[in-house]
Amino acid sequence: MGEPTRKPVETPSHLRNFHLAARVSRLGTETAFEVLAEAKALEAQGRHIVHMEIGEPDFNTSGHIVEAAIQALRDGWHHYTPSAGILELREAIAEDVSRSRGIEVSPDEVVVTPGAKPIIFFGLLSLVEEGDEVIYPNPGFPIYESMIRYAGGVPVPIQLREELDFRLDVEELIRSAGPRTRMIILNSPNNPTGSVLAREDLARLAQAFAGSRVMFLSDEIYRQIVYEGEALSIASFPGMKEATVVLDGFSKAYAMTGWRLGYGVMNRGLAAAVTRMMTNSNSCTAAFTQRAGIVALKSDQSPVTEMVRTFRRRRDRLVKLLNEIKGITCRTPRGAFYVFPNIRALKRTSTDLAKALLHEAGVAVLSGTSFGEYGEGYLRLSYATSMEMLEEGVRTIRGFVERELSSNAC
Ligand SMILES: Cc1ncc(COP(=O)(O)O)c(C=O)c1O
């Protein structure tokens, strides 16, 4: 079955003398984009597809943020900005992160990037030497493993187990760390499982690693999309701020995926390196997008609260409907906008089932293995789509599964 996230980049056969650098073979991918393209191709042939594969809010960006971008363009924000981002935006981010994480952040500890993803890319390239080990959650966002390998690091996966509500087993993580461990990646709320790390998990990690050479990359992109309690940051624990890169951004909470606006908060030494990576790659993040980001942070936050309330209603409905399907069980996730149902009883691999659901039933979902080998036995469904679509999607899945089970029984 292979690992779909690590499929090599293919060179077209007619380009015989064309050679890609070896490092490209170390890059993985994000299957969500491939499944989306496949689903769109089926739609172009006239098929009706229910989309549950996409990891982005189905809401549009709030009008006042859009207006701020238009105004910025009218006001002449047409030029390069400093590579680390416009000072006013970095001040707004520093203030927001200081308040929400209970730490003191200054603007020169903030680097603004086109989306939050470059913080993973630049953070790993800046910190990981050849052969350094990087611990990361599996199932987890596929870009972690891809970038660990690309940077020359050794990926050390920690399995997120359903019995633990897909929370990291912190004791197992601590046992996995050794002299070559350079980084630990945390992601809470987690994509794809929706799990949220508990205060005691983070306190234990902070106690185990404070004062060591290990840096944490804390991916907090879903921080505001949490339904029970709150998602805490490892950076908030004593002694951990300097040892943590906080990754956050505007894509999810402000429904701004296509704007490409994210940031990292990190110690000044690392911020200088990451800023240099920005100078060498993007020069800077789009100026008018940054101006809109200032307004997003400083204005009324009720659209975020309202969106999360809607996600919660969908989550509750989706989990209930999935659990009514024979052969599928689904835990209630505490954050993000994904469910990760267990499909082991259906006796098919996750990749197989996801493909059959798309091609035979017209429902686009992701295989759990798109998030690493420990995702086998699961699917990822996004509920960032309308209630009607969710209900139709689950009805279709149910019909498909019932047909499968009855034909297996014959
Ligand atoms: C866990 C996680 N981290 C980071 C990102 C990247 O966010 P952005 O679109 O801002 O680059 C995503 C997007 O899907 C994600 O799920």
Side-chain angles (χ1 to χ4, degrees):
M1 193 194 66
E3 294 175 58
T5 53
R6 301 218 40 232
K7 205 166 51 182
V9 177
E10 280 169 24
T11 303
S13 57
H14 67 283
L15 297 177
R16 277 203 213 98
N17 294 322
F18 176 70
H19 176 75
L20 286 171
R23 73 177 70 85
V24 176
S25 68
R26 300 203 298 266
L27 278 175
T29 187
E30 216 183 319
T31 319
F33 288 103
E34 289 173 9
V35 174
L36 176 62
E38 229 177 303
K40 293 275 178 208
L42 289 172
E43 281 173 334
Q45 293 165 18
R47 291 275 309 273
H48 170 67
I49 305 290
V50 179
H51 290 275
M52 299 176 86
E53 80 280 34
I54 306 171
E56 63 173 347
D58 53 317
F59 300 90
N60 282 336
T61 308
S62 289
H64 68 288
I65 301 175
V66 174
E67 285 308 320
I70 294 169
Q71 194 56 48
L73 286 170
R74 293 216 167 96
D75 291 346
W77 289 90
H78 304 167
H79 303 278
Y80 292 132
T81 76
S83 291
I86 295 170
L87 179 60
E88 201 180 334
L89 175 59
R90 286 186 288 124
E91 282 171 349
I93 292 168
E95 208 174 285
D96 189 69
V97 175
S98 299
R99 186 191 40 75
S100 56
R101 276 68 162 194
I103 51 179
E104 213 162 290
V105 174
S106 95
D108 55 0
E109 294 170 308
V110 176
V111 184
V112 177
T113 45
K117 233 180 205 174
I119 295 298
I120 305 173
F121 200 104
F122 298 153
L124 283 156
L125 284 182
S126 301
L127 290 169
V128 173
E129 300 277 12
E130 199 72 33
D132 278 349
E133 293 177 1
V134 180
I135 295 176
Y136 71 105
N138 185 323
F141 191 45
I143 301 307
Y144 304 146
E145 185 184 335
S146 168
M147 280 313 305
I148 295 165
R149 288 186 193 278
Y150 190 73
V154 178
V156 179
I158 300 292
Q159 182 174 6
L160 303 188
R161 292 196 177 80
E162 188 175 351
E163 311 82 81
L164 259 185
D165 240 349
F166 296 113
R167 262 167 53 206
L168 261 176
D169 181 337
V170 289
E171 296 306 329
E172 184 183 339
L173 187 156
I174 292 165
R175 282 195 303 275
S176 307
R180 292 304 315 253
T181 306
R182 179 67 180 118
M183 280 186 86
I184 297 172
I185 301 177
L186 303 177
N187 174 215
S188 172
N190 169 265
N191 175 11
T193 67
S195 64
V196 176
L197 285 168
R199 178 182 293 277
E200 59 270 25
D201 296 334
L202 293 166
R204 175 76 179 106
L205 287 175
Q207 179 227 2
F209 292 100
S212 76
R213 73 189 276 272
V214 172
M215 284 288 295
F216 281 84
L217 172 60
S218 182
D219 183 341
E220 302 175 11
I221 195 83
Y222 297 100
R223 186 188 68 84
Q224 283 165 277
I225 306 174
V226 67
Y227 310 106
E228 273 95 39
E230 77 181 305
L232 299 170
S233 174
I234 184 96
S236 307
F237 287 76
M240 294 310 290
K241 186 197 136 188
E242 296 295 321
T244 305
V245 179
V246 173
L247 173 156
D248 204 341
F250 297 76
S251 296
K252 315 289 176 177
Y254 299 99
M256 290 175 73
T257 48
W259 296 63
R260 309 313 297 137
L261 188 61
Y263 58 86
V265 174
M266 61 204 85
N267 68 54
R268 286 178 182 81
L270 182 57
V274 171
T275 301
R276 193 162 288 198
M277 298 250 172
M278 274 296 289
T279 307
N280 275 269
S281 53
N282 301 285
S283 293
C284 64
T285 305
F288 65 95
T289 299
Q290 292 190 56
R291 298 300 304 175
I294 299 168
V295 171
L297 287 180
K298 293 200 159 179
S299 56
D300 171 29
Q301 300 295 298
S302 59
V304 183
T305 319
E306 191 44 48
M307 183 176 75
V308 173
R309 208 172 285 146
T310 306
F311 283 147
R312 175 201 281 271
R313 279 197 295 273
R314 294 175 184 173
R315 174 199 71 163
D316 293 345
R317 181 90 181 121
L318 182 59
V319 168
K320 179 173 179 296
L321 292 176
L322 283 169
N323 279 313
E324 285 169 9
I325 303 176
K326 194 166 167 235
I328 295 184
T329 56
C330 184
R331 289 195 176 235
T332 303
R334 294 160 61 92
F337 37 67
Y338 310 109
V339 291
F340 206 60
N342 184 324
I343 49 102
R344 290 218 171 96
L346 300 178
K347 308 259 182 285
R348 265 197 176 208
T349 67
S350 299
T351 314
D352 232 31
L353 184 62
K355 272 196 186 315
L357 283 171
L358 175 61
H359 290 274
E360 295 169 36
V363 185
V365 300
L366 298 185
S367 161
T369 51
S370 297
F371 301 88
E373 65 268 38
Y374 294 127
E376 185 53 84
Y378 299 90
L379 295 178
R380 191 199 78 170
L381 278 57
S382 160
Y383 49 92
T385 186
S386 70
M387 193 70 102
E388 295 72 43
M389 278 291 170
L390 288 179
E391 290 181 348
E392 182 189 344
V394 181
R395 230 182 3 258
T396 312
I397 294 172
R398 183 182 187 140
F400 179 88
V401 166
E402 284 172 358
R403 281 194 302 281
E404 284 264 301
L405 290 177
S406 68
S407 68
N408 287 350
C410 293

